[in-house]
Amino acid sequence: MAMMRAPVRFLAALMLLLVVAFAVPAQAQQPTSVNPQAQSVKEQELLKELKKIQGRGTLPDARSEVIEQPAGRDWRQFHQVTLRWIGAIAILGMLALLVVFYLVRGMVRIEGGRSGRTLVRFNAFERFVHWMTASCFVILALSGLNVTFGKELLLPLMGADAFANWSQWAKYMHNYLSFPFTLGVVLMFLMWIAWNFPSAVDFRWLKEGGGIIGNAHPPARRFNAGQKMIYWVVVLGGGAAAVTGYLLMFPFYATPFYTTDVAGMQLAQMVHAIVGVVFIAVMLAHIYIGTIGMQGAFEAMGKGEVDVNWAQQHHSLWLEKEAGKGHVRGGGVAPAE
Amino acid sequence: MLIKKSERQVRRGALAAALASQTSGSIDRRTFLRRSGLAAGGLAALGALPLGGVRKAEAAGTGPAPAKGIIRQNICTHCSVGCTVLAEVENGVWVGQEPGWDSPISRGSHCAKGAATREIAHGERRLKYPLKLVGGKWQRISWDTAINEIGDKLLEVREKAGPDSVYWLGSAKFTNEAAYLNRKFAAFWGTNNSDHQARICHSTTVAGVANTWGYGAMTNSYNDIRNTKTIFFLGGNPAEAHPVSLQHILEGKELNRANFIVADPRLTRTAAHATEYVRLRNGTDIPVIWGMLWHIFKNGWEDKQFIAQRVYGMDDIRKEVEKWTPEEVERVSGVPGAQLERVAKMFATERPSCLIWAMGQTQHSMGTATVRASCVLLLATGNVGNFGAGANIFRGHTNVQGATDLGLDIVTLPLYYGLAEGAWRHWCRVWEVDYAWMESRFATYTGADGKPVKMMNTPGIPSTRWFDATLLPKDQVSQPDNVKVMFVMGHGGNTVTRMPEAAKGIEKLELLVVVDPVPTTWAVLSERKDGIYLLPSATSYEMAGSRTASNRSIQWGEQIIAPIFEAKNDLEIMYRLATKLGFADRMFKNIKVENNLPVAEDILREINRGGWSTGYCGQSPERLKLHMANQKDFDVVTLKAADGPCKGETYGLPWPCWGTPEFKHPGTHTLYNTNVPVREGGGTFRARFGVERVVKTKAMVDGREVEQEVRHNLLAEGSYSRGSDIQDGYPEFTYGVLKKLGWDSELSEAERATIERIGGANPDAISWATDLSGGIQRVVIGHGCAPYGNGKARAVAFGLPDAIPVHREPIYSPRPDLVAKYPTLPNARQFRVPNVGFDVQKAAVEKGLAKEFPLILSSGRLVEYEGGGEETRSNRWLAELQQDMFIEINPADAAERGIKDGGWVWVFGPADTRPKAKMRALVTERVGKGVTWSPFHFAGWFQGVDQRGKYPLGADPVVLGESVNTLTTYGYDPVTGMQEPKATLCQVRAA
Amino acid sequence: MARMKFLCDADRCIECNACVTACKNEHDVPWGINRRRVVTINDGRPGERSVSMACMHCTDAPCAAVCPVNCFYTTADGVVLHSKDLCIGCGYCFYACPFGAPQYPRVGNFGSRGKMDKCTYCAGGPEPDLTPAEYGKRDNGQFTGYGSNRLAEGKLPLCAEMCSTKSLLAGDGEIIAQIYKERVVRRGYTSGAWGWQTAYRETIAS
């Protein structure tokens, strides 16, 4: 019915315009005869038609001109229910998966034991960047989780004041550490981008389960497909978390590139939260592999040097290349066989 | 549930928490709320709360929390509604505001300004001590130095150029006492160059209305609009200018399902609530009114009996109205005939109807004629002199009505006595000064024609023209010399049109003194480097005294706090200066002065002793204070006290309040209301214009042309106020009339003696207005008669330039095609200066300015600011709400010019000085295509230059902006010198 | 038990902003924090309506639900308050609030949010009633505490008490709803009790 009416109304308006245009020389454009009372806007109708009711105010802050936006209800549902499920499933699920995997597979050992010869895998700067980012990440993750789960898990234990205190510090840390974290992500992106483009080798690696499932050890360059995935999770996820995080952090600075109205803030928070929990879940796997999941892996980021046998096992193509450049140290040039 | 911190600490342990919930600390509060009638009352509480979901503060009487401090009562200064301000004062500091529930006018309410008024009183950005501009720098000086230096300079100018070279510009924010004293001061100084804001807001109303039916004021009251069936707004936007009045208007609209018609070039916040909105072109009010009357006369909707009994000259109006056919009205104003017929019918037939206006009608070069046309519309439909009807003229400041009444004006002495010798003699008797001495204070001017003119009896220069009187060649100013000193008390410098010329005017002055709580635009507008004094005056809240609201109710305000910093009471400043100038002894002869501060109550008593003509004689300070203390007894519709010590009286004893205070006249709620006995506040139209009018006409008798005299009766016919002993029209009462009627025997011996003493050789001429005993008023009111007579209202105001109002195009008309048919009046010398409006209008048409400046520019009010705005823009709570000067422009006009909502634009004015101003664009359909509108409160930027640095340190307002009056143009009403900011031209370009 | 609510009768509201400055005055709220504001819908067009909006003190308040530190509480009068001691300024309540009520002072660290501030229904905060601690400090640009506690003094929020046209009503929800219904019947028109559906899941007289 309303759709049927629209053209009629348009025609009528057009005719009125024409009539008025001929009749009134002074102010032709606006009809003069109106009953403002009868035409008054109605809240319920506006809410049916629009997601939010917005008007004109005199304050310079445009957000103050939105007077009603019931969408907060959906966001509340997301934050209070959906997000918790996503977070719980992602993090607890990953933990469970890792536990099961550990029980089944145990630690992946260096086949043939250590050779005693090592080669540099990550230089000091790379390790510094990694650990800076990683330590920031741990604190960001914990303080972030606190926002979503803290009041259920910690508040009853700590009491309101202590929890608020901790949360306040957690918020400060979350805000401040976002800067070194973001810097770390950017540096990692630049530092390692060269080795992280997908290649044909990666398909084989993936097809063979990366040597983690089963006993095959598909060849890999400096970073295997799994590590590349971590890399891209860090770069893209970190980037998304950073962008959305800063949107949430600086609500007062609207720039020409984005507008931080409430809907935008809600969206930013949703992206930030989902990226956050997924990120955490992936990082749990990363930490597992880097520590108890694989013998010799931690040394790569710890000392920066790895055993040649470890390299042979996991990054054979990289080892060949490095060996060719004479970067293997200790024992002699050839593998000890 | 967590309620208070104390509980939260307890709740740390689970056990403790369980216990805590048993003994919730909120019980006290709950109990308390129940006790205060909110929680338990339920629907039963509705009786006490019929109109707002609020409960009175007294309900807290049973509660545990004592009031914070002393409560003091004053009146909000920001418009003429007269809202009660209740201030909580602790140790001399104003710490809070409470709603003044008991006020029948405001019933606890405020607008943004009233609710933020505490900040104005202790605003950090006020002037803190006297300052003097020396070499472009503000220098702190003492009050004594200031008064001495200023006084010496004044005396020097007086010696050199005569008393008329000093212009005393007063304020509508004065109390009645200060306004009166300021006018008296000018009289003792010896000039009639004494004016205030009424010049630029409602001077044309006062002239137009007083010339129609006797008094220049709102006929009814804000509260009385609750009785109205058809409310017609023509030239007013009270939703922004008088917000609390809307409480009465909207409630009246709801209760009566009243018609709510708004005719305005803008769809204002008032129009948003209209049942009928009429968009007219700026400055075409007369065509619209005549267009309505065309329908009314054609259909016979006029009130024939009312016209026959109480109106003079309606037949002449018919002839003028006949010219305004629906086609011509639409051609000129843009209002379609069918709509106007509907509006006319409602207004004439769904009565009582009232007409509400403010500066939309008045601020035009044809302002007086417009107001007169409005009066004629009311008269034709019989809508004056009754409840729910009338001319509801909304004025702009707390006391602009009072200041006007008290003669802070260039054409009259206090209370409309005029400037004739009789008026001066009356006031000299009241002041107990020698008339000859008073005469000696004034100059005599001999103009080009060689005839000496006594300046004492000559109207002064309007405040709109002060800079013309400064800048024009001496021979074009009809007084001994140019204006050389401006002494400005409480009056903005950006409220008068043609600001670029005002800036030049300031530069040419020999001395500028600004007495104000804030520096005002005067301090920064010009390039002057010396010769400006800024003297900090107290705000209205730091001064006791009475204020007259628009409805003529007079309210006494207490001093809330002592003047802060080095600010001083207006009365004290005037006293100190009078002392320096040497006439304090004479001026304060009957006024007690304590510690340099004249006692306000004593001044009011002096006003009472002389205020017979307007009925300012009965409102003694004691009676007014009694009303303030018993506000709760007054009814919200009738304004009458149902009970208590003021029983039967109308709130604030609205003038006229006849006789002496002891006579206990209750005040007059609605003027000219014949349904009420005069003793109880009724009245008739004032017989102000004589008993009859003799018109000489030429007629052909027996083929010869002979001159005939036609006599028109100007007295009412068969109409009289209830209970009147004279049941027909009658002239004003004098001692002589009393004798003829034999009523003089009712005078007491003392009264008779006073009359005889004043009258000297001719006591019979002593009238109700000059009888200082009040006896004549007492006696005639005893006979049910109005002291001022029972006359007809004048539809034809003979003596005015347009006796029958005719439409005249604005000086800068957007319709040059209409100027030939509807030109402005010829040039003339008015109020000592030339008015060359005709030449300016003609030149504008010849130069085709309407093409170059195709947009109509009009100005108006924002709810957050007031007047020139310096005070309100210095208030951080208000300033936050309006941070930028703007111009409203229609989306179509904006799109043509590539202007975005909120973007910066340059606005150009058509005056010869080619002014420009930079502001933000507000793209809105409020204004029609081809129309723009700007608020007039801004200043501190001038033609794109930010002048913040020129303010005294720390006294710059929070918000600055271009003043619209930089752009507004020439155009002056011939009757009052009113300026024309409501209809001029401009061009807008994106900046 | 009284359940306190706000009701803005838009058919009475004239955008006079008295509610806004009354709030500033009563609590000495600094520049940039707007516990209450007035917005005009359909500005300049026939049918334009203005609405005064602040915290509506919702039933099952979303701000309280999403607060990560549970700093909100509802008083026995149904007023939704919060503790600035507990608030960490995360901004979540602002995302959840349908009425844009939460306000944040800019604080030093990169202009990010300080502790949230909002309309208290003139009911103070968790500190003991009518104490300086409850009111907070206002010297040298500080803004702590919650402002006045008019409810404890037996008074209602000043914004509603000072409303120029009695458009903004505050008090027991049942009473103000009744007043509003009577008004609507008497005058014969309504644009709705703005926000009631969203805040209280209630529609009256529309």
Side-chain angles (χ1 to χ4, degrees), chain B residues 4-5 51 53 97 864 880, chain C residues 17 24-25 125-126 163 170 183:
Chain B
K4 284 282 161 190
K5 197 175 194 176
L51 299 158
Q97 269 182 264
E864 291 84 2
E880 188 183 357
Chain C
N17 278 321
K24 292 259 174 188
N25 190 343
C163 174
R183 257 190 211 177

Side-chain angles (χ1 to χ4, degrees), chain C residues 115-164:
Chain C
K115 291 181 184 297
M116 189 272 278
D117 186 79
K118 74 169 188 68
C119 160
T120 63
Y121 205 86
C122 290
E127 319 292 337
D129 282 344
L130 305 172
T131 53
E134 183 183 50
Y135 187 87
K137 289 186 187 136
R138 297 291 184 279
D139 311 332
N140 304 321
Q142 284 190 86
F143 180 51
T144 65
Y146 311 89
S148 296
N149 189 341
R150 296 177 62 83
L151 235 53
E153 294 176 33
K155 300 168 186 167
L156 284 167
L158 195 63
C159 52
E161 290 200 327
M162 281 191 174
C163 174
S164 63

Side-chain angles (χ1 to χ4, degrees), chain B residues 1-6 8 26 29-30 32-34 36-43 45-46 49-57 59-60 63-68 86 88 95-101 106-119 238-240 242-247 250-251 253-255 257 267-270 272-273 279 863-864 875-883 922-927 958-959, chain C residues 1-4 9-34 36-38 40 42-50 70-77 79 81 83 85-86 123-130 134-135 146 148-158 160-172 174-176 178-179 182-189:
Chain B
M1 182 47 61
L2 178 67
I3 299 291
K4 284 282 161 190
K5 197 175 194 176
S6 51
R8 195 172 76 232
S26 69
R29 180 187 294 178
R30 257 182 260 146
F32 173 66
L33 283 169
R34 203 158 43 235
S36 63
L38 233 193
L43 290 181
L46 265 179
L49 313 158
L51 299 158
V54 287
R55 89 202 115 125
K56 296 200 169 194
K68 275 188 241 165
L86 285 192
E88 281 179 302
V95 296
Q97 269 182 264
E98 282 298 322
W101 295 112
S106 60
R107 301 198 307 157
S109 296
H110 279 302
C111 68
K113 301 181 293 295
T117 209
R118 181 168 70 95
E119 172 65 10
E240 293 209 66
H242 309 83
V244 175
S245 75
L246 261 284
Q247 180 180 139
L250 286 175
E251 280 183 16
K253 176 198 179 199
E254 293 179 5
L255 285 164
R257 300 224 173 170
L267 200 149
T268 59
R269 293 286 186 255
T270 312
H273 295 275
R279 197 185 283 277
V863 69
E864 291 84 2
N875 179 326
R876 60 201 159 107
W877 298 328
L878 294 170
E880 188 183 357
L881 293 170
Q882 291 289 355
Q883 301 181 16
L922 196 155
V923 180
T924 174
E925 288 171 53
R926 287 176 207 165
V927 286
V958 179
V959 166
Chain C
M1 172 63 11
R3 162 54 167 114
M4 296 295 175
D9 180 355
D11 298 297
R12 281 274 186 92
C13 181
I14 54 172
E15 203 221 353
C16 82
N17 278 321
C19 45
V20 177
T21 59
C23 177
K24 292 259 174 188
N25 190 343
E26 183 66 11
H27 308 292
D28 210 345
V29 182
W31 185 285
I33 300 285
N34 302 95
R36 183 169 275 289
R37 68 204 192 278
V38 183
T40 303
N42 248 15
D43 171 62
R45 289 195 282 268
E48 155 194 306
R49 282 291 174 265
S50 300
N70 274 1
C71 80
F72 289 88
Y73 60 100
T74 304
T75 70
D77 306 315
V79 175
L81 298 179
S83 161
D85 287 349
L86 302 185
E127 319 292 337
D129 282 344
L130 305 172
E134 183 183 50
Y135 187 87
Y146 311 89
S148 296
N149 189 341
R150 296 177 62 83
L151 235 53
E153 294 176 33
K155 300 168 186 167
L156 284 167
L158 195 63
E161 290 200 327
M162 281 191 174
C163 174
S164 63
T165 58
K166 309 292 179 204
S167 158
L168 184 62
L169 306 178
D172 186 325
E174 284 183 24
I175 298 177
I176 60 173
Q178 187 59 35
I179 290 168
E182 283 179 13
R183 257 190 211 177
V184 170
V185 169
R186 195 170 57 213
R187 69 188 177 205
Y189 56 86

Side-chain angles (χ1 to χ4, degrees), chain A residues 8 34 68 86 89 108 198 203 219 234 236 241 247 292 302 304 325:
Chain A
V8 179
V34 286
E68 205 175 338
I86 295 173
I89 290 170
V108 178
F203 289 104
V234 169
L236 296 178
L247 281 180
I292 57 171
K325 289 183 198 160

Side-chain angles (χ1 to χ4, degrees), chain B residues 185 573-585 587-588:
Chain B
F185 191 104
I573 297 167
M574 285 186 255
Y575 175 74
R576 281 171 174 255
L577 195 58
T579 307
K580 167 72 189 172
L581 299 175
F583 51 75
D585 289 349
M587 189 171 156
F588 294 89

Side-chain angles (χ1 to χ4, degrees), chain A residues 23-27 29-38 56 58-60 156 158-162, chain B residues 8 12 253 271 274-277 279 330 336 339 342 881-883 890 901 922-923 925-929:
Chain A
V24 191
Q27 284 144 6
Q29 271 66 18
Q30 279 166 319
T32 55
S33 181
V34 286
N35 180 341
Q37 179 62 64
R56 189 190 276 282
T58 58
L59 292 167
M158 298 171 76
D161 285 316
Chain B
R8 195 172 76 232
R12 279 205 181 122
K253 176 198 179 199
T275 56
E276 182 89 38
Y277 169 65
R279 197 185 283 277
E330 185 161 345
Q339 186 183 28
R342 189 163 65 238
L881 293 170
Q882 291 289 355
Q883 301 181 16
N890 186 276
D901 190 25
L922 196 155
V923 180
E925 288 171 53
R926 287 176 207 165
V927 286
K929 182 162 163 46

Side-chain angles (χ1 to χ4, degrees), chain B residues 671-718:
Chain B
L671 290 172
Y672 325 119
N673 193 339
T674 52
N675 302 312
V676 180
V678 179
R679 185 69 183 87
E680 293 166 29
T684 54
F685 287 133
R686 182 172 172 186
R688 190 178 187 173
F689 315 102
V691 174
E692 59 179 16
R693 181 185 182 206
V694 180
V695 183
K696 288 192 176 145
T697 55
K698 292 206 167 89
M700 298 299 281
V701 177
D702 303 332
R704 280 186 309 137
E705 193 180 69
V706 291
E707 199 164 76
Q708 280 188 330
E709 283 192 351
V710 183
R711 292 174 176 274
H712 297 280
N713 179 11
L714 294 181
L715 297 180
E717 293 175 63

